Amino acid sequence: MLSKKVLLDSHGEDSSYFVGLQMYQKNPYDHVHNPSGIIQMGLAENQLSMDLLESWLAKNSDVTGLKENGGSIFKELALFQDYHGLPSFKKALAEFMEEVRGRRVTLDPTKIVLTAGSTSANETLMFCLAESGDVFLIPTPYYPGYDRDLKWRTGVEIVPIQCSSSNHFRITKCAIEEAYKQAQSLNLNVKGVLITNPSNPLGTTMTHEEINIIIDFCLDKLIHIVSDEIFSATVFSSPNFISVLEALHKRNLEDSIVNNLVHVVYSLSKDLGLSGFRVGMIYSNNEKVISAATKMSSFGLISSQTQHLVSNIIGDKKFMKYYMKENIKRLKKRHEMLVSKLKRIGIKCLKSNAGLFCWVDMRHLLSSKTFEAEIELWNKILFVTKLNISPGSSCHCNEPGWFRICFANVSEDMLNVSMQRLKAFMETSCHDDVCNARRIRVS
């Protein structure tokens, strides 16, 4: 009676990442009404600078009131919207992205496709670049949502590029060649490589060497590069962020065939904390991809009211310069706070310089060096300690014992409470009967 897509169990919601989000929603922490609830540290959301945006809105009532030059533009924005998007918004977005990239690249607004968030952007690119059953290679660990975003409706498969803690999870030529060989041995057609830079969940920026390894590999195989750069303005310490577009420019490859094979995904969900506004985009020099993706975008538009509001925010260059500087300052302070508190209770983090999270080493807390032991530890932290963090296995890390902990979506008081809970957990063992009674199975 229903379609195969409805019955197909490939959305990925049984992943521990999604399970943790669901458990939090059922029992959210509140310091007054539910102090024993679950603290959400599994969501990469930037709430640290929301007050700055609210202050801007309070001072720009004409924008929020949909007025311009003293008159109402409500009707203009409320009527039919061309799915190409507002030219003023695409221009402001291109200029903002150039600023984030240190003016080292120039972006053409006509090569931007607007989408309802980066989720839609990534899926749209999969529809444009691959057939059902084709493969994209992705360095591990990677964002758990890719198993849903890239695969569920498109039928595209993922083969991991296995990265190791031995070199701080950096991409190597050997690792990417091995992943390609693995796909070939399974008779899978590799259509491209997808990277996240800065990395989610590592919180690190890619080096020139890593990006050039990807470019050289894809140029040799004539396959696509999708660079998800949604955390590009969250870099709070050196080394700086290097966009794949900048790497192409430095190598004078902008007129080569690889230029048509490179596609950038971006959104304002992380850098500005506007995840609820669903503002995403694709940037590509490939005219056929832009044309097809623009047509597909009609299934997931950004409202014209949202485009108007956001274009005015990011178009206020004086404000954005202040916002970006202050936001980076706050991210760095909060990152240092989490790292130092974890260190005091005997937990180390991978050295990182970007993002809204830390990649945390809890291998010494495992009962055995297995993923079963990792899930056992995760169950205790979620259901006994009442902290939702993401186990490395949900990010396809090939080494058990790593976890992602987010720090920008909680207040400083909540961070302190979470660390007190984690400290208490480490000082006392969890009763097996409690843990076993509430343990759940995850893939």
Side-chain angles (χ1 to χ4, degrees):
M1 298 264 321
L2 300 175
S3 72
K4 291 181 180 179
K5 187 64 65 180
V6 169
L7 302 174
L8 191 63
D9 186 22
S10 61
H11 180 274
E13 281 199 348
D14 57 349
S15 161
S16 51
Y17 168 76
F18 287 108
V19 169
L21 297 179
Q22 293 162 10
M23 292 302 104
Y24 164 77
Q25 290 170 354
K26 293 178 181 178
N27 184 25
Y29 169 85
D30 184 277
H31 75 285
V32 174
H33 302 292
N34 190 23
S36 62
I38 295 173
I39 295 178
Q40 174 64 287
M41 304 191 81
L43 185 64
E45 189 171 62
N46 185 6
Q47 298 184 26
L48 298 185
S49 300
M50 198 62 67
D51 61 305
L52 303 181
L53 295 171
E54 290 176 331
S55 176
W56 186 93
L57 292 173
K59 296 174 182 177
N60 291 271
S61 57
D62 273 7
V63 177
T64 56
L66 304 182
K67 295 179 180 179
E68 201 169 80
N69 299 321
S72 173
I73 56 170
F74 172 79
K75 182 177 179 180
E76 177 185 340
L77 296 173
L79 296 180
F80 176 76
Q81 176 189 341
D82 183 346
Y83 52 73
H84 288 78
L86 302 179
S88 59
F89 177 53
K90 293 169 81 169
K91 181 177 182 294
L93 192 55
E95 290 177 353
F96 175 71
M97 292 175 66
E98 289 174 351
E99 194 66 38
V100 169
R101 286 151 184 77
R103 295 287 173 185
R104 296 184 295 273
V105 295
T106 301
L107 301 182
D108 182 350
T110 66
K111 296 179 179 179
I112 288 177
V113 179
L114 300 177
T115 63
S118 61
T119 294
S120 177
N122 278 310
E123 185 188 56
T124 297
L125 275 176
M126 293 302 106
F127 276 122
C128 289
L129 305 180
E131 304 290 346
S132 179
D134 286 345
V135 162
F136 265 76
L137 310 179
I138 306 182
T140 62
Y142 63 78
Y143 166 54
Y146 283 152
D147 294 321
R148 170 202 62 195
D149 303 352
L150 308 183
K151 296 170 56 176
W152 185 41
R153 297 200 298 183
T154 67
V156 169
E157 299 295 334
I158 294 173
V159 170
I161 301 170
Q162 299 290 0
C163 301
S164 166
S165 63
S166 61
N167 72 338
H168 309 292
F169 298 99
R170 293 296 180 184
I171 300 168
T172 64
K173 183 178 180 181
C174 180
I176 193 170
E177 291 284 0
E178 187 61 35
Y180 188 81
K181 289 177 182 177
Q182 180 187 351
Q184 284 190 314
S185 69
L186 297 171
N187 293 318
L188 298 173
N189 182 34
V190 178
K191 294 303 294 285
V193 176
L194 187 147
I195 56 176
T196 57
N197 182 29
S199 168
N200 177 8
L202 298 177
T204 56
T205 48
M206 290 180 66
T207 63
H208 267 299
E209 181 183 4
E210 289 179 285
I211 297 174
N212 284 330
I213 286 172
I214 298 294
I215 291 174
D216 290 339
F217 177 81
C218 292
L219 185 56
D220 178 60
K221 307 296 183 185
L222 288 181
I223 58 177
H224 296 276
I225 300 173
V226 175
S227 183
D228 189 331
E229 301 180 358
I230 67 171
F231 292 94
S232 55
T234 67
V235 182
F236 47 78
S237 61
S238 61
N240 293 329
F241 164 70
I242 305 165
S243 171
V244 67
L245 299 173
E246 180 185 346
L248 290 178
H249 176 69
K250 284 192 172 185
R251 294 180 56 176
N252 296 314
L253 292 172
E254 292 169 307
D255 294 324
S256 71
I257 190 172
V258 74
N259 204 39
N260 273 334
L261 299 173
V262 172
H263 321 279
V264 171
V265 168
Y266 185 62
S267 84
L268 299 181
S269 298
K270 312 303 180 182
D271 292 346
L272 267 65
L274 300 178
S275 53
F277 278 28
R278 310 309 304 151
V279 176
M281 54 135 281
I282 297 165
Y283 188 88
S284 176
N285 288 302
N286 190 310
E287 292 182 4
K288 290 184 178 179
V289 168
I290 290 297
S291 176
T294 300
K295 295 182 180 73
M296 290 182 187
S297 71
S298 63
F299 295 101
L301 298 174
I302 308 168
S303 74
S304 54
Q305 295 92 330
T306 299
Q307 291 184 54
H308 170 71
L309 172 59
V310 176
S311 64
N312 277 275
I313 295 175
I314 63 177
D316 186 337
K317 291 183 170 54
K318 182 179 179 181
F319 168 73
M320 286 312 303
K321 185 176 181 180
Y322 166 69
Y323 174 91
M324 300 307 294
K325 183 178 180 180
E326 181 64 21
N327 185 54
I328 291 300
K329 180 181 176 181
R330 295 182 185 188
L331 285 172
K332 183 177 182 179
K333 180 182 178 181
R334 182 59 63 83
H335 170 267
E336 291 173 347
M337 187 181 300
L338 175 60
V339 171
S340 65
K341 288 180 180 295
L342 287 171
K343 186 177 181 180
R344 277 191 222 115
I345 60 177
I347 298 175
K348 297 180 180 179
C349 302
L350 181 76
K351 185 177 181 180
S352 58
N353 66 315
L356 312 175
F357 32 71
C358 289
W359 190 236
V360 180
D361 186 357
M362 295 188 180
R363 288 177 291 180
H364 60 297
L365 300 179
L366 299 181
S367 59
S368 63
K369 296 180 180 180
T370 64
F371 287 109
E372 289 77 14
E374 178 183 277
I375 294 300
E376 179 183 18
L377 177 60
W378 173 72
N379 269 280
K380 293 176 182 179
I381 294 173
L382 178 61
F383 291 111
V384 179
T385 310
K386 301 290 183 67
L387 299 179
N388 177 39
I389 63 178
S390 304
S393 54
S394 70
C395 304
H396 298 272
C397 183
N398 64 352
E399 300 175 19
W402 291 89
F403 289 78
R404 189 190 75 165
I405 298 182
C406 300
F407 57 75
N409 66 311
V410 293
S411 67
E412 187 173 330
D413 287 341
M414 288 173 68
L415 179 64
N416 289 330
V417 172
S418 68
M419 293 299 102
Q420 290 167 7
R421 289 183 180 185
L422 196 55
K423 182 176 183 289
F425 167 74
M426 294 185 66
E427 291 174 347
T428 60
S429 60
C430 172
H431 294 294
D432 289 341
D433 55 342
V434 174
C435 296
N436 289 328
R438 306 190 74 172
R439 187 171 295 125
I440 51 180
R441 292 181 177 272
V442 295
S443 61

